[in-house]
Amino acid sequence: MFGLDYSWLADPAYQQWLLTGVVNTLKLAALSSSAAILIGMLGALGLTLRIFWIDALIELFVEVFRNTPPLLQMLFAYFTLSSLGLRVTDPSTGLSVPLLSAFACAAISLSLFGGALAIEAFRSGIETMPRAIVDAARSLGYGRWARFWRIEAPIAARICLPGLTNILTNLFKTTSQASVITVPELMYYAGQIYNDTFRTLEVMILVLLIYVVLVSILTFAMARLEALMAFPGYGRGH
Amino acid sequence: MNRVDALIELDNVRKSFGDVPVLKGISMFVQKGEAVCIIGPSGSGKSTVLRCINGLIPVDDGFVRVGAHRVHEMRSEKQMRALRHQVAMVFQQYNLFPHRTALENIMMAPIQVLGHDRAEVEERARKLLKKVRLSEKADSYPGQLSGGQQQRVAIARALAMQPDVILFDEVTAALDPETVKDVLFAIRELVEEGLTCILVTHEMKFAREVSQRVCFTDRGLIVESAPPAELFDNPQDPRTREFLGQVL
């Protein structure tokens, strides 16, 4: 059809590459998303303490990781962490190898990048907390911690969920840049396949469709979660 | 009035927000079981008085006592816990927690703050919902209730703390006229049962009917304080007369 040639797809080797690529992409996305959410929560929680040097540290972290290209962060992690002497001797081969694999470097840098964005998302959720809610909680005798866990956090989580969906979809797509530091994820194998077959357009169309499907599953799941968590009577909760 | 016997005592309370003085020396006493209304123009400091009584706003200067609690000396939320147990508050915008049902809103603080037994609290909460005539709305979320219904849930939530005093901060100001009367009915019942109430209100007719005393505030001071019949029918201060002339 349209002169596109997909006969290479019948090759079990290419099928295996694609499958491995998808699995590694999913692993990288799942790992960095979870870590990003955790970093986001801890960071936003740290900001509620209103302690000067903690604020300054978190702000610095956010500025550095939000304002630089994730690809650069990944390259930086890949080339510096291994050359900084973080190497171990592989007991089976006796060779000196980097302590952190390309995959680990990609996962770490994506987690920090996503974490910086998540801190901002969670912070906005907490900071837009209506004054009235805080007053009501205080007048009922809630102390600072109980107020945060019982009232502010559950409300903030719902406020910042749409923003979090954006961050997670972006983070998912950014995993493709890990191919540059040889992480064998979907984009990496796509390159391998078209270098082998010269079927660049066909491979790109297929990979594009795979990303559309995978990211759509994510956004669909997030939309479901949003609907489930919505306050009945407000917005999606109607 | 004997100030030592009073349940609530404010003496020369001052408070500024930035450079703007809001309270310029408020003194008032409220006896146990008394219903006192505070009326006055917007920005005269009515709501701020209430918030100083339960410690939501720290005072700059002066003396605030509720029962045995010397509120003006309290600095941390922890110190205020016993005070918050004794003094409940109902707000203009209801301020219910949107992620919890009506019943849960009422039960949360007694369980989570006061550590009361869940089963006992639920029984209390259902009784209170019945009292404000919203039994059938126990499982509704605030967003599914009308303003008047939310406000009655908020009153039940305040009562669930088993307070000695309830502060009502313009609780009908955000409601449409036909639901106002349900809320006022609920408050009237509480006053008749002898609960100590301080009400900031713009409902002059209600203030007159329900309260034993009305305080008129203007520009951070209590200008005049008298039983409602006296204050409404024979106001002494020209500012009170001017205000009443505008609103009545």
Side-chain angles (χ1 to χ4, degrees):
Chain A
M1 209 195 330
F2 305 121
L4 296 176
D5 177 7
Y6 276 102
S7 56
W8 52 273
L9 251 183
D11 188 329
Y14 295 149
Q15 290 173 3
Q16 188 55 48
W17 280 2
L18 283 172
L19 186 66
T20 311
V22 167
V23 169
N24 283 337
T25 289
L26 289 176
K27 273 189 197 162
L28 191 56
L31 207 63
S32 50
S33 298
S34 320
I37 291 171
L38 193 67
I39 292 170
M41 284 177 174
L42 290 176
L45 190 63
L47 287 175
T48 64
L49 298 177
R50 309 223 176 281
I51 298 171
F52 174 77
W53 63 271
I54 293 182
D55 280 9
L57 271 178
I58 294 172
E59 295 291 341
L60 181 69
F61 170 79
V62 169
E63 294 304 322
V64 168
F65 285 92
R66 185 186 57 180
N67 302 357
T68 52
L71 178 59
L72 179 64
Q73 293 172 22
M74 245 182 283
L75 289 168
F76 198 78
Y78 185 59
F79 288 113
T80 54
L81 291 182
S82 49
S83 65
L84 277 175
L86 290 174
R87 301 176 75 85
V88 286
T89 306
D90 189 324
S92 57
T93 59
L95 291 172
S96 172
V97 295
L99 174 65
L100 297 171
S101 64
F103 183 89
C105 288
I108 290 171
S109 74
L110 284 171
S111 300
L112 297 177
F113 173 63
L117 299 178
I119 288 174
E120 287 297 283
F122 290 139
R123 185 179 64 89
S124 70
I126 293 169
E127 284 183 359
T128 54
M129 188 63 48
R131 183 81 224 151
I133 296 288
V134 179
D135 278 351
R138 288 180 63 206
S139 78
L140 287 165
Y142 279 91
R144 192 170 171 152
W145 281 105
R147 197 171 81 218
F148 183 81
W149 287 117
R150 307 283 197 176
I151 295 157
E152 295 182 8
I155 294 173
R158 290 158 169 90
I159 294 174
C160 59
L161 209 49
L164 187 64
T165 302
N166 277 338
I167 292 170
L168 294 186
T169 45
N170 267 323
L171 198 57
F172 194 108
K173 291 180 290 183
T174 309
T175 59
S176 63
Q177 297 181 6
S179 59
V180 176
I181 58 167
T182 72
V183 175
E185 45 70 74
L186 182 56
M187 205 63 201
Y188 175 87
Y189 279 119
Q192 297 285 306
I193 294 171
Y194 65 67
N195 281 339
D196 250 26
T197 61
F198 303 109
R199 289 287 156 205
T200 317
L201 182 61
E202 286 88 342
V203 175
M204 284 305 152
I205 290 173
L206 180 67
V207 169
L208 189 116
L209 288 175
I210 294 175
Y211 273 110
V212 166
V213 170
L214 294 180
V215 178
S216 298
I217 292 172
L218 174 67
T219 52
F220 177 76
M222 291 299 284
R224 285 285 305 160
L225 184 65
E226 241 179 84
L228 275 176
M229 284 178 63
F231 306 129
Y234 288 97
R236 278 172 176 269
H238 273 295
Chain B
M1 188 182 307
N2 188 340
R3 62 180 274 185
V4 182
D5 291 344
L7 177 61
I8 299 169
E9 185 182 352
L10 279 77
D11 191 22
N12 203 20
V13 170
R14 291 170 187 277
K15 176 71 189 177
S16 299
F17 294 122
D19 294 335
V20 186
V22 180
L23 305 183
K24 301 179 197 163
I26 295 275
S27 300
M28 67 186 287
F29 314 107
V30 179
Q31 303 295 328
K32 189 166 173 46
E34 201 178 12
V36 175
C37 281
I38 304 177
I39 61 168
S42 296
S44 61
K46 305 184 296 291
S47 295
T48 309
V49 172
L50 291 190
R51 281 155 200 263
C52 289
I53 293 173
N54 75 344
L56 277 185
I57 296 178
V59 300
D60 294 340
D61 194 25
F63 178 97
V64 182
R65 179 181 64 81
V66 178
H69 305 292
R70 296 163 71 86
V71 182
H72 60 287
E73 287 171 357
M74 294 179 171
R75 286 292 167 265
S76 72
E77 299 266 329
K78 208 171 189 172
Q79 289 176 308
M80 295 204 184
R81 188 166 298 175
L83 170 74
R84 300 275 162 73
H85 182 14
Q86 197 177 5
V87 183
M89 187 160 184
V90 183
F91 300 85
Q92 179 176 349
Q93 296 294 341
Y94 341 125
N95 303 12
L96 295 178
F97 304 129
H99 61 304
R100 291 276 176 259
T101 63
L103 187 69
E104 288 168 341
N105 261 279
I106 299 170
M107 292 172 60
M108 281 171 79
I111 294 172
Q112 294 169 356
V113 177
L114 303 179
H116 290 177
D117 173 66
R118 172 173 280 275
E120 186 266 317
V121 172
E122 180 167 350
E123 197 189 322
R124 191 195 308 167
R126 289 196 186 277
K127 267 191 200 145
L128 288 169
L129 269 177
K130 193 172 169 203
K131 187 182 174 71
V132 296
R133 296 179 297 156
L134 283 174
S135 289
E136 75 286 0
K137 298 291 186 187
D139 297 322
S140 299
Y141 285 84
Q144 296 166 322
L145 300 174
S146 73
Q149 290 169 335
Q150 289 189 59
Q151 195 57 290
R152 282 182 280 152
V153 172
I155 291 171
R157 179 174 72 175
L159 288 169
M161 295 295 280
Q162 301 176 316
D164 297 327
V165 185
I166 299 195
L167 311 173
F168 293 91
D169 187 9
E170 299 192 29
V171 293
T172 56
L175 301 176
D176 44 297
E178 63 262 42
T179 55
V180 166
K181 66 177 191 303
D182 295 331
V183 172
L184 294 184
F185 180 86
I187 298 173
R188 188 190 304 264
E189 269 193 343
L190 300 178
V191 172
E192 281 163 6
E193 287 165 18
L195 188 68
T196 311
C197 296
I198 305 180
L199 307 104
V200 167
T201 185
H202 290 294
E203 302 279 337
M204 297 302 151
K205 187 165 162 284
F206 180 71
R208 181 182 200 125
E209 287 167 13
V210 84
S211 64
Q212 279 109 47
R213 197 150 45 88
V214 179
C215 300
F216 171 71
T217 58
D218 190 34
R219 285 170 239 167
L221 287 167
I222 295 180
V223 174
E224 193 167 350
S225 169
E230 232 172 273
L231 188 124
F232 286 113
D233 296 336
N234 188 20
Q236 298 300 310
D237 193 281
R239 277 184 286 176
T240 318
R241 280 201 288 274
E242 191 195 344
F243 175 74
L244 291 175
Q246 282 166 0
V247 297
L248 288 180

